[in-house]
Every structure is written in structure tokens, then in C-alpha cells.
Amino acid sequence: MRSVSRCLLAIVVCGFSFVTLIAQCPDRPAPGSVVEDALSVSSQNGVLDAGLTMRHSVDTGGYNHYCLNYKTAKGDVEAPTLRLNQGDQLLLDVKDRIESDGSDAMGMDMSGSPGKVCGDSGQMTLSSTNVHFHGLNVPPTCHQDDVLTTLIQPGKPAFKFNIQIPKNEPPGLYWYHPHVHGFTEFQVNGGAAGALIVEGMDKIRPEVAGLKERVFVIRQQYLVPWVPGPYQLSINYQVAAFPTFPAPIIKMKPSEKQFWRVANATIQDFMPLQVQFDGKPQMLQLIALDGYPLAKPRMVDTILVPPAGRAEFVVQAPATQVDSTFFSDAYSTGPTGNPDFAQVLGKIDVSQDADEAGETTSTAPTPRTTLEGIKFTGLTKYKPTALRKLYFSEEFGGTNGPIQFYITVDGQKQKVFEPNEKPVITTKVGAVEDWIVENRALETHAFHIHQIHFLLTEVDGKPVKNQDLRDTIEIPFWEGPGHPYHSVKMRMDFRDPTIAGTFVFHCHVLLHEDLGMMHKILVLPK
């Protein structure tokens, strides 16, 4: 079970304590209040220049809060939404100001290759941090999106990210979060994650032009050090634990259409999202998945979003007040997985005087309705240069559940990730490969690869109707002896020379990643 395995990771950190309960993180919203969007910080004249400070505090309930604070004239706000246009430059200074008493000193070397460190030297610990720009198709190099060698240590000068957003970057919802190996789960669990939007969806998908836009980041909070018991989900930091707490309130006008952009920033939950009226799921117009516009919008009543996935869709409010909820249905992750429980994420309050929270998309004067010119288009036309098979697996320890997690290239030795390991896959710029990833474990896993999107082509050996471009995909659990392994087949696009370098692929159940269910791929330049 994922919960039992979390105790193993706690061997490293259960002694972790902090010298103070001083509120280093901003106050989070009161239960049952109106859900507000995060502060938006937008680029100006082609540049977004901002600074974030990583801090930590412990609330009165014993929950650790990690926060990426942005300073305003009215004080610090947490995890602003970063808004850029295609071709913009992101200049982001990140400081680590986590305060500890030193009891977290146990750690591991960071260097991705001998002697190579980007940023600060020293060991990775719970007080170290860095930032991954999840889904962005940018170089895996120092000061851009390199999680293998980038380390930001407490008290050191700000680390300066300098990222050029490609002119052909897919417009959509991305997100940013820490990615220090071994400790990713704890900082994301504490709340250190925010949305990043590449503008322009209304120019490709005119269905959203002129609609009010809402950005909802769903986070998750366990007690850390971990103890048995329930966890809390939150929506934009407001606890969503109905009926224990009053449900968050989402305001809409009668019959109003809104464009919802939802990021699953939980550490492990697979979320079948719905909007329900009187308990009945309503049809949603799905616009994009994982920051990539669909080739054609489609109507669905449930959108399964794995951990780290994103969904962008149009919601229409009822004409009159009915029992309306934003809902995550229950999802079974298998015999050794944790159950993902059904949960009301918010109550939709319909009234004529609904506030004007959120942004409004512009009305594109000459909207285009194709993806021509956007990264990763045209993959179906290419003959794959290689076919690779990988698989998820777990190793058990008696009655205590899985104790080790693996992702393995078929034919190679099963092993856990090590920061100084050599890449397990080497390819080159220009390659277009087919990967089949099997799940040989008794719990569901979520496959994610950095730097690129992939085209989903088959599930369990059968062609899929909707060949969507994704960066994270669920692979259901194995039912056990006598049953086949579930699998997905993906077309991986390494044509873009900007992604040359070394980066990682892994399970985005963050405990699994931290315990070694990750490996490196090297993309050689031409």
C-alpha cells in the first residue's frame, strides 16, 4: 500500500522538526468561504520577471505547510498563477528560506553526473528545493528545467531561472512544483505548487473566447511525519473535506458558461472530475488535457485526471439554484493502492449577483481552429524510429505491502533510480519512438516524462478513439495471476532540438518517484 510505504520514507524524516511554529506561510482560506483564484502575475512586453521564496510553517493541526511566496504591497501571497504568451521570457528568482534545527541533515548527493551541480552545492535534504516547470517543452539545462542537478539551499542567494517559452508552445495550463529527488512528496504535500498558463487558447479553440476563466489547483495534505488517517484535499488552498468541513463555494450566474482550468497537484490522487446537478453528472465540453488543446472538443460527463494531469473544460451553470457540486468521484487504485474517495470539491452557488472572480478570455479577432504550427503536431504521419517496452513493478516485504518501486526498460536489470546513474535510454534529436508501458503492479501508476508531450495511440493493445497529446497518463493496476497486464502505447516526439540533454521519466505518484520509480533518458543532439 502507498500508505505503508510512506512509513519507509519516514525513516529518513520522522525525526524532522522545526525550531518554530511562526507562520512563515500565508494564512489559508477559511472553510466554507468563496473560492478565489490565485493572484495572476502576467508578462509585460514579452517578459515575466518575478521572485518566489520557499518557506515552511506548521499549523495548529500539525500539518506542515510549504509555500512559494510572492511579495506584494499588501504582503506575501502563495503560489501565484504565472501567465505568459508564446515566445515570452520567464525570469524567475527563487530563494530557499526554510528554517530548520538541522535534524533533517540526512540526505543524498544531488549531482546528476560526477562533479556537476547547478546552483548550490551540498546534500539534498528536506530543507533543499528546486523547481520543475511541469509540461513545458523547454531545455533540460541549468537555469531552465533541469531537476537532476539544480539545487537551491536555505539562506543562499536567489537562484535565477531564465526560460524562453517557445513561439510554438501549446497554449494551455501547466504547473510548477519542487522536484528534489527523495523529498518531492513532502514539499508538494505541503502546498508548494502553482499554476502556469501559456495564453492563446481562445485563438485555437474559439469555444472559450469571451468566457470567464477560473483556475482551480487541487492539492492534497497528509500529516507529515505521516500517521495513519485521512488526508485533506483543497481547492485553491481551501480545505475540501465535506461533510467534515463546510464545502468551498464556487459562484456562477444562472446559465453562465465558464472556462475551468483544473490542475491535479495532489501527491497521488486519481480524480474522476464531474459537475453534478442534484447528484446527476452534467455534460462538460472538454477543451484541453495536460496543457494541449484537443484536436476537436468533445462532450463528456467525467474527466479522469491522474496526479499531475490537467483538464480544461467549459461548464454551464443551471438556470436556477439546484444542488450543484464540483465533484471528484471514487477511484480504485488496486489491491495495494490507497482508495481515492469520492469528495465534494466545491458547492456551486448560482445567483445573479455572483462576483466577478477570475479572468475573462479575450475574443480572438481571427480565431484559428487547427493546431498547425504547434509543437508535436503530425506525429501520426511518422514511422517510428524505435519501439521500446517499459514496465512498472513493485517488490513486496511480507505483510507490510510494497517496499520498493521500479520502472524498468524491458531487457534491463530492475533497479531503483540513483541521482548519479547513467541514462537507461539514449536516443537522438529527430527520433520519433513508440513506447509501450505496462503495469505489472497491483496498484495504478501514472507515467510522466519531462520536456515532451506524447501521443496516446493504444490502451491494452487496442487503438484509442481519441489520440490526445498528454504528458501524464494513468496505467491501471494488474488484477493478479490469470489476468493480462494493462498497458498504454505512446508515440514519443524527440524532433525538437531544444530538448536535447538528459531528463527523467517516472511515476507521478510522488512517493513512488521519491523511492526510485524514475530513470533518465539522454537525447543526443544531431
Side-chain angles (χ1 to χ4, degrees):
M1 293 171 61
R2 283 177 267 167
S3 57
V4 173
S5 301
R6 181 171 287 103
C7 292
L8 296 175
L9 188 54
I11 291 172
V12 178
V13 298
C14 275
F16 187 61
S17 61
F18 292 89
V19 295
T20 179
L21 295 184
I22 294 174
Q24 300 281 347
C25 295
D27 291 337
R28 291 180 177 173
S33 57
V34 175
V35 178
E36 303 287 350
D37 284 25
L39 173 72
S40 283
V41 181
S42 300
S43 62
Q44 302 292 329
N45 300 316
V47 178
L48 196 164
D49 192 347
L52 298 174
T53 301
M54 172 70 88
R55 294 190 182 276
H56 167 271
S57 59
V58 182
D59 67 18
T60 56
Y63 288 94
N64 280 285
H65 291 184
Y66 288 89
C67 48
L68 284 163
N69 291 349
Y70 175 78
K71 188 175 292 296
T72 73
K74 296 181 179 180
D76 287 352
V77 299
E78 195 167 1
T81 297
L82 305 179
R83 292 179 176 270
L84 300 110
N85 298 299
Q86 295 164 314
D88 280 352
Q89 184 179 22
L90 174 60
L91 301 175
L92 189 66
D93 288 359
V94 178
K95 297 178 183 177
D96 185 344
R97 295 298 181 262
I98 298 171
E99 298 178 6
S100 80
D101 61 4
S103 60
D104 64 326
M106 185 178 293
M108 62 187 81
D109 290 331
M110 179 65 171
S111 56
S113 60
K116 182 180 179 183
V117 175
C118 175
D120 302 320
S121 60
Q123 290 192 319
M124 297 178 291
T125 72
L126 265 177
S127 293
S128 309
T129 197
N130 61 19
V131 182
H132 170 46
F133 300 91
H134 185 114
L136 283 184
N137 314 123
V138 297
T141 56
C142 188
H143 298 285
Q144 297 201 63
D145 190 39
D146 164 35
V147 301
L148 286 168
T149 68
T150 301
L151 197 61
I152 308 171
Q153 298 284 32
K156 300 293 185 180
F159 182 87
K160 298 181 180 297
F161 289 95
N162 186 341
I163 298 173
Q164 187 73 42
I165 306 299
K167 292 181 179 180
N168 59 348
E169 184 73 7
L173 176 62
Y174 303 82
W175 66 298
Y176 59 91
H177 65 84
H179 205 297
V180 176
H181 179 59
F183 305 107
T184 302
E185 181 192 34
F186 288 91
Q187 292 182 7
V188 175
N189 174 71
L196 187 154
I197 291 174
V198 176
E199 305 282 17
M201 183 66 75
D202 51 321
K203 296 177 182 178
I204 290 180
R205 294 267 59 96
E207 295 85 356
V208 307
L211 298 185
K212 182 178 297 299
E213 172 190 300
R214 302 301 310 273
V215 179
F216 297 135
V217 180
I218 312 300
R219 300 176 178 89
Q220 188 172 29
Q221 182 80 63
Y222 278 93
L223 279 170
V224 178
W226 185 85
V227 295
Y231 57 81
Q232 296 178 348
L233 292 179
S234 66
I235 178 169
N236 292 1
Y237 291 114
Q238 186 183 152
V239 173
F242 181 83
T244 306
F245 294 93
I249 298 170
I250 299 171
K251 292 277 193 178
M252 296 183 75
K253 296 181 185 296
S255 300
E256 178 188 19
K257 285 185 177 182
Q258 291 186 355
F259 180 36
W260 287 13
R261 316 184 89 161
V262 181
N264 182 350
T266 69
I267 59 175
Q268 68 174 35
D269 267 24
F270 296 79
M271 309 187 77
L273 298 179
Q274 299 176 344
V275 170
Q276 296 187 354
F277 297 168
D278 289 330
K280 181 180 179 181
Q282 301 299 299
M283 299 305 292
L284 307 169
Q285 188 177 32
L286 185 60
I287 299 295
L289 290 168
D290 292 351
Y292 206 102
L294 302 187
K296 182 179 180 181
R298 57 181 181 264
M299 302 301 294
V300 295
D301 64 11
T302 303
I303 306 169
L304 177 59
V305 185
R310 287 89 64 215
E312 302 173 69
F313 49 94
V314 175
V315 176
Q316 184 165 19
T320 59
Q321 185 69 63
V322 297
D323 183 17
S324 306
T325 58
F326 181 31
F327 187 75
S328 180
D329 206 356
Y331 182 86
S332 174
T333 60
T336 63
N338 281 0
D340 292 337
F341 299 106
Q343 180 66 64
V344 172
L345 299 172
K347 291 275 190 180
I348 300 173
D349 182 26
V350 175
S351 63
Q352 286 288 354
D353 61 350
D355 58 31
E356 297 299 319
E359 307 274 337
T360 300
T361 62
S362 62
T363 301
T366 54
R368 63 185 186 190
T369 57
T370 72
L371 295 171
E372 184 179 353
I374 301 299
K375 278 177 177 276
F376 309 115
T377 54
L379 277 174
T380 56
K381 302 175 183 178
Y382 281 78
K383 183 178 180 181
T385 55
L387 173 64
R388 303 185 194 271
K389 185 174 180 181
L390 300 84
Y391 59 90
F392 289 114
S393 60
E394 298 176 0
E395 195 171 86
F396 286 76
T399 60
N400 291 324
I403 61 170
Q404 194 57 70
F405 301 90
Y406 305 97
I407 183 169
T408 306
V409 178
D410 197 30
Q412 296 185 9
K413 183 180 179 180
Q414 184 174 265
K415 61 180 181 179
V416 300
F417 172 80
E418 295 180 357
N420 292 321
E421 72 177 21
K422 294 180 179 180
V424 299
I425 293 175
T426 298
T427 187
K428 62 183 179 180
V429 169
V432 174
E433 302 186 355
D434 278 355
W435 289 18
I436 298 172
V437 181
E438 279 185 348
N439 189 356
R440 301 181 184 180
L442 296 170
E443 67 175 307
T444 301
H445 292 290
F447 176 85
H448 170 58
I449 187 168
H450 290 209
Q451 316 316 132
I452 68 170
H453 281 69
F454 52 79
L455 185 73
L456 179 65
T457 60
E458 295 181 8
V459 172
D460 293 338
K462 298 178 181 179
V464 296
K465 179 181 178 181
N466 299 304
Q467 295 195 349
D468 300 322
L469 280 143
R470 306 288 297 272
D471 62 42
T472 310
I473 190 70
E474 70 282 349
I475 308 179
F477 62 89
W478 178 46
E479 289 89 350
H483 296 272
Y485 298 126
H486 292 289
S487 67
V488 298
K489 187 176 183 180
M490 303 165 285
R491 183 147 296 176
M492 318 296 280
D493 187 356
F494 303 109
R495 291 175 293 169
D496 188 348
T498 64
I499 58 95
T502 302
F503 47 96
V504 294
F505 55 89
H506 58 85
C507 176
H508 220 287
V509 174
L510 292 181
L511 175 71
H512 299 174
E513 171 197 326
D514 281 338
L515 289 178
M517 197 174 249
M518 178 166 75
H519 282 304
K520 297 179 187 178
I521 176 172
L522 169 62
V523 180
L524 296 170
K526 279 189 175 180

